[in-house]
Structure formats: structure tokens, C-alpha cells
Amino acid sequence: MNATASALTVRDPWSLVPSLGNLDAYISAVNRVPLLTQEEEVNFARRLREHGDVESAGKLVLSHLRLVVSISRQYLGYGLPHGDLIQEGNVGLMKAVKRFDPDQGVRLVSYAMHWIKAEIHEYILKNWRMVKVATTKAQRKLFFNLRSMKQSLKEDSADGATHRNTLTQGEVDTVAERLNVKREEVLEMETRMSGGDVALEPQTDDGEESYAPIAYLADDSTEPTRVIEAHRRDWLAGDGIAQALDALDARSRRIVEERWLKVNDDSSGGMTLHDLASEYGVSAERIRQIEVAAMKKMRKALAQDA
């Protein structure tokens, strides 16, 4: 038996590969796993397809883990953890192994590439931004090609302005033509990709007042409790005050109106306690006592109408 066959006859083939917790060790281990010959690959695939042999499926997956690592490196520019990209790619590899038909005359490596990329693409689209940037097939194609095309166009530009973050009008037209999409779609996708996420909640724990978007995005003007409170305030400021004043005798009412409700042209307010005391021929303290009693009576009247 050759080295390849003996290496893949381990009862638990996954024991050859460490967990993704140590990424460097994992990559090193999968790169040491021997590749299958075409004959071995076909035999394992047929045993899986005809007999549901799980051990054969494991050997097919194990021998192609290095392919997932290689493909996942192409997507490191999106800022997502390499280990997560590999893990999602492994899911795609297992789906490919399950659906692989050895009688089609195609090697598993070629067939699996589509499934591996599809799973990685889906993971990136779900996690690269909180809001999805691409939903249709055309948008996905644009999303995964725009970044590399932008870099290529900048390197080929006559002015050598590789520091530019936006595309020129000519570059937009070039991308649209190559990808067979509308230039408006290119501009929209570039805007989506250049925009970052904004946290709704405050990101500091220093105890200081923070004005995160959550503080001003909410519109509570139509919240039932606030609507009721607003109606109540409006009533108190209008009909409520008028009804409360009607409960007072003439002198008490005039004192309250002069002290609290009257505004002169010079914005100086109404009469003072001493002005009212002189008019009624009593002391300023007496006017204050009448005012306090009137205010209590008004509050009682307002409470009854609540």
C-alpha cells in the first residue's frame, strides 16, 4: 500500500487535523495531508454515493482542506477573521462532497471550488456590514469584483493616484462595461462599500454623557403616554386655568391674574404685593396670604377635573 493510501486509512481521519483554535497549527497540518489520486477519489466518492459511507466522505473532505485554506486567503481584504472564512469554506466543501458525482469525469477539486466560494461569499455578505450590501445576483457579482477592479484601475491610471478612494467617471464606465451593469449600480455599490457601520449605542464606559445615534433617532412624539401628557398640558394651559379661576372670588382672582398671568408691554409682569396692598388698603402680607389660599383652591379644582 502506498504512502497516500496508508495515510488515509486512519480510523478517524480528523485526528490528523487540530482544531481551528490554533490557526497556524491547523493550516500547517492540512498542508501535510496527502492528496488523493484520481482512482482513490473515485472509489471513495462511489462508496459514499452508493453506500452512504461516512468514513469515505471524511477522507474526501480531509484531503481537500488545503483547498479551502487557499481560497479563503483571497477574501482576507474584507476584514473578517481568517479562521471564520476557513470554517465557512469547510461547510461548502462538505456540501460539495455530498453532491459530488464521480461518474461525471470531473475532479472534486474543480467541483468543490464553487461550493467553497459560495459559502464564503454568503458569510461575507452577512457579516461584513450590519446592513446587507448585496442581495441580487448582479449586486453580488459587483460586490466581489469591484474591490479588485478598483485597485487594478488605480495601479494602471496615468496619474498613479493609488491613494484615491473613489473612482473617476472614466473608471466607473470601465467597471460598468466589464461587468455588464449600469454605471448607476457601480456608483451605488461603491457608496455602500465605502460607508462604515455606526453603533447605535454609546461605545464608551467612562460615565460621561454620550450622544450616540440611539439618543436622537427615536421619535416618541406619537407614543401614547406622551400624547396624553401633551393634551393634558394644553388643557391645563387653557381651559383648565380658566375653570380654576372661575372657582375664585373676584378679589382672589384679580390677585392671581395680576401676580401670575398678566404681562405688561414692557414685559415687567403684573402688580407687586405692595401695589395690590395699597389698592385694597391691606398689608402686603395679607395679599400674600390671599394669594396662597387662592392657589391652593385652584390646584384642588384642577385635580378634580383631571
Side-chain angles (χ1 to χ4, degrees):
M1 183 179 294
N2 59 35
T4 300
S6 61
L8 291 171
T9 55
V10 180
R11 186 168 184 78
D12 180 11
W14 293 100
S15 64
L16 299 175
V17 181
S19 67
L20 270 172
N22 188 334
L23 188 59
D24 290 337
Y26 173 87
I27 294 175
S28 177
V30 299
N31 285 333
R32 291 197 303 268
V33 175
L35 298 176
L36 294 174
T37 65
Q38 185 172 5
E39 181 182 358
E40 291 169 335
E41 181 179 292
V42 170
N43 289 335
F44 287 138
R46 283 177 177 164
R47 286 166 59 183
L48 170 62
R49 189 177 183 87
E50 297 172 4
H51 307 290
D53 187 356
V54 178
E55 186 175 346
S56 295
K59 292 173 181 177
L60 289 170
V61 171
L62 185 66
S63 64
H64 288 81
L65 291 178
R66 68 174 70 190
L67 174 65
V68 176
V69 172
S70 177
I71 293 176
S72 66
R73 288 197 178 101
Q74 302 171 20
Y75 299 94
L76 292 177
Y78 293 97
L80 297 171
H82 192 192
D84 290 351
L85 294 173
I86 293 175
Q87 189 164 335
E88 294 300 319
N90 286 343
V91 173
L93 173 60
M94 287 185 282
K95 289 182 178 181
V97 168
K98 181 178 179 180
R99 294 167 173 80
F100 180 59
D101 184 356
D103 297 323
Q104 292 294 323
V106 178
R107 291 299 299 268
L108 178 58
V109 63
S110 300
Y111 181 76
M113 288 181 66
H114 164 77
W115 291 94
I116 295 169
K117 289 183 177 181
E119 288 297 321
I120 293 177
H121 286 184
E122 190 67 25
Y123 169 74
I124 292 174
L125 291 174
K126 286 182 178 179
N127 295 275
W128 189 63
R129 289 282 189 270
M130 289 187 293
V131 179
K132 275 195 172 184
V133 295
T135 54
T136 67
K137 184 176 181 180
Q139 287 176 337
R140 290 172 179 239
K141 179 181 178 181
L142 183 56
F143 176 83
F144 286 106
N145 285 277
L146 184 56
R147 181 189 295 269
S148 59
M149 289 190 68
K150 281 178 64 175
Q151 185 62 36
S152 177
L153 289 171
K154 289 175 184 179
E155 293 174 354
D156 296 339
S157 62
D159 56 5
T162 57
H163 62 281
R164 285 188 290 105
N165 292 324
T166 58
L167 293 171
T168 64
Q169 294 297 325
E171 290 171 342
V172 170
D173 293 335
T174 300
V175 173
E177 181 179 357
R178 291 183 183 178
L179 298 179
N180 193 27
V181 295
K182 298 178 181 179
R183 65 187 318 277
E184 292 78 11
E185 294 176 336
V186 176
L187 292 172
E188 180 183 2
M189 183 58 68
E190 184 183 21
T191 302
R192 291 184 182 185
M193 293 178 66
S194 60
D197 293 332
V198 178
L200 291 178
E201 301 288 350
Q203 300 300 299
T204 57
D205 297 326
D206 53 11
E208 296 183 359
E209 189 174 9
S210 175
Y211 293 95
I214 195 66
Y216 54 80
L217 285 179
D219 180 12
D220 55 7
S221 61
T222 58
E223 197 272 324
T225 302
R226 292 190 176 273
V227 171
I228 294 173
E229 290 176 351
H231 284 307
R232 177 65 179 169
R233 286 195 302 269
D234 293 341
W235 181 85
L236 288 174
D239 295 341
I241 293 296
Q243 292 180 23
L245 287 172
D246 289 340
L248 303 177
D249 61 79
R251 183 176 64 170
S252 297
R253 176 169 181 157
R254 184 163 185 271
I255 290 173
V256 170
E257 290 178 338
E258 288 290 342
R259 292 282 293 147
W260 296 100
L261 302 177
K262 190 172 182 180
V263 178
N264 294 331
D265 294 338
D266 58 359
S267 300
S268 60
M271 300 174 67
T272 65
L273 290 174
H274 293 285
D275 293 337
L276 291 168
S278 298
E279 180 177 329
Y280 288 105
V282 296
S283 66
E285 176 59 22
R286 179 56 186 157
I287 296 296
R288 189 192 67 79
Q289 292 173 355
I290 295 173
E291 177 187 347
V292 171
M295 298 293 283
K296 288 182 178 179
K297 193 171 184 180
M298 289 181 66
R299 282 194 291 270
K300 184 177 180 180
L302 290 172
Q304 291 175 348
D305 294 331

